[in-house]
Amino acid sequence: ERVEEREAMTPRALKKQRSKEKLDSQERTVFVGNCPGGTTKKSLRQHFRKFGNISSIRFRSVSLLTPQANTKDHFRRISVLSGEIDQSKPKNAYIVFENDDSAERCLAECRGLLTLKLELTGKEEDSDEEKEENDEEEPEESGDGKNIRECVVQVDSAAATKFGSEQSIFVGNIPFECSDDQLRTHFENCGQVSAVRIVRDPATRLGKGFGYVMFADGTGVRSALGLNGSMLNNRPLRVRRVAKKNPKTTAKDIANKSNSKGQQRQHKGGLSKGGKGGKGGFKGTKRPVHEKKPK
């Protein structure tokens, strides 16, 4: 019935419907970043199920043993299914709850950096097509004989975290192999760290040499600026306050600016230089010639 409704929609209405569904799903989704490479969906489910029923858990930013496979979607899928995963590098998870209230409760309690004990495995679970198990049928298991690791993850809404100028710093010259944990540890004495982001290459998952650190308040920013030039893995860091973004220029602004310049040219072309006028302006009038009286 739902498929028939979609087929009856115009392309514009279908696009609008998909955007609405995506927004609805995003409001129910919680982002969990910096998970160890071997984190299982089951361990995440056991930690976050207390906030409500979970529809699905998906992993993203998974590092592969063959970097070239990251450039094509079908190569990535083959590598993931065959288990060619680099478990030494972290990955991100997206937890989709069944309703908005569950996601709001989760963010109210866990937003920011959270220390968890997660069960790790050497085998990567399959991706989105995996059928999610019912929460009630999944028993709690003890950590005896299992690979349990304590780690710090970043919990936030699915929408991108905004590193504003008031509470965030820009960090340059970061070592390429640096992890989010190492960068967080370097600045944790400056104040409470709320979020860390190292910009990474999508293929190799190596850092591009710069990133951002967000603090709970501006005091942490002022303290962190004092670490400009400090060493991290034998590299001096460049620490700056995040620059304020200029508002976007609209077509209306460009048109107003063009009209303003045109008016300025007209004024410049007026009675300048002794009435002779400027370029394209008013040239003025000639002096009247007085006729000589006959003698």
Side-chain angles (χ1 to χ4, degrees):
E1 196 174 311
R2 191 174 180 182
V3 175
E4 292 176 357
E5 289 179 4
R6 282 181 175 272
E7 289 178 352
M9 287 182 177
T10 62
R12 185 174 182 180
L14 186 59
K15 184 177 179 182
K16 189 175 181 180
Q17 177 69 17
R18 285 175 177 170
S19 299
K20 185 179 179 181
E21 290 175 358
K22 185 178 180 181
L23 182 62
D24 177 62
S25 175
Q26 194 174 56
E27 291 175 351
R28 296 183 287 111
T29 304
V30 173
F31 168 81
V32 184
N34 198 38
C35 298
T39 303
T40 63
K41 294 181 180 180
K42 185 177 180 179
S43 63
L44 286 176
R45 186 182 295 274
Q46 289 176 350
H47 279 286
F48 291 96
R49 64 195 298 183
K50 63 182 179 180
F51 300 109
N53 294 334
I54 296 174
S55 299
S56 64
I57 298 177
R58 293 187 285 271
F59 287 121
R60 292 291 182 268
S61 305
V62 178
S63 299
L64 303 180
L65 294 174
T66 307
Q68 291 78 3
N70 285 292
T71 58
K72 299 291 183 180
D73 290 340
H74 61 280
F75 288 152
R76 279 189 60 84
R77 182 160 185 77
I78 293 171
S79 298
V80 169
L81 294 176
S82 60
E84 297 178 2
I85 307 297
D86 189 352
Q87 302 286 357
S88 64
K89 295 180 180 178
K91 59 187 178 183
N92 302 325
Y94 290 86
I95 302 175
V96 184
F97 289 93
E98 290 185 359
N99 55 65
D100 300 351
D101 295 337
S102 300
E104 288 174 3
R105 285 196 298 270
C106 177
L107 292 173
E109 184 175 326
C110 304
R111 188 191 289 267
L113 298 178
L114 181 68
T115 302
L116 297 178
K117 289 184 178 180
L118 297 175
E119 177 188 344
L120 308 183
T121 180
K123 183 180 179 181
E124 179 68 16
E125 300 171 286
D126 49 8
S127 54
D128 301 341
E129 284 72 18
E130 179 190 15
K131 185 178 179 181
E132 298 292 339
E133 298 177 353
N134 191 315
D135 291 341
E136 297 178 359
E137 296 176 357
E138 197 173 275
E140 295 285 349
E141 297 184 13
S142 63
D144 298 336
K146 296 183 181 294
N147 182 13
I148 305 295
R149 176 181 166 187
E150 186 174 271
C151 55
V152 178
V153 298
Q154 180 178 323
V155 181
D156 207 340
S157 63
T161 303
K162 295 182 179 180
F163 290 82
S165 59
E166 299 298 326
Q167 295 174 261
S168 306
I169 57 170
F170 167 85
V171 186
N173 202 34
I174 300 173
F176 301 126
E177 294 284 353
C178 181
S179 66
D180 289 7
D181 283 337
Q182 289 176 313
L183 189 62
R184 174 184 57 82
T185 304
H186 189 79
F187 289 99
E188 64 183 2
N189 291 332
C190 299
Q192 182 181 346
V193 178
S194 301
V196 174
R197 183 195 172 202
I198 296 178
V199 179
R200 301 185 180 278
D201 183 89
T204 63
R205 300 304 301 162
L206 290 174
K208 290 188 175 183
F210 65 94
Y212 303 89
V213 179
M214 180 188 293
F215 294 93
D217 52 46
T219 307
V221 173
R222 290 189 289 273
S223 301
L225 292 175
L227 292 182
N228 181 41
S230 60
M231 303 296 291
L232 178 59
N233 295 350
N234 298 321
R235 296 190 71 169
L237 298 179
R238 296 195 306 273
V239 182
R240 301 284 187 274
R241 189 186 290 272
V242 172
K244 292 183 179 180
K245 289 185 178 180
N246 294 325
K248 293 183 179 180
T249 305
T250 62
K252 187 177 180 181
D253 295 333
I254 295 173
N256 291 337
K257 191 174 182 180
S258 177
N259 293 336
S260 173
K261 285 184 177 180
Q263 291 174 1
Q264 288 178 4
R265 289 195 192 100
Q266 289 179 2
H267 288 304
K268 286 182 179 179
L271 295 171
S272 59
K273 295 185 180 179
K276 293 183 179 180
K279 225 177 186 181
F282 176 68
K283 295 182 178 180
T285 57
K286 294 182 179 180
R287 291 182 180 180
V289 179
H290 298 284
E291 295 180 2
K292 293 183 179 179
K293 292 181 181 181
K295 291 182 181 179

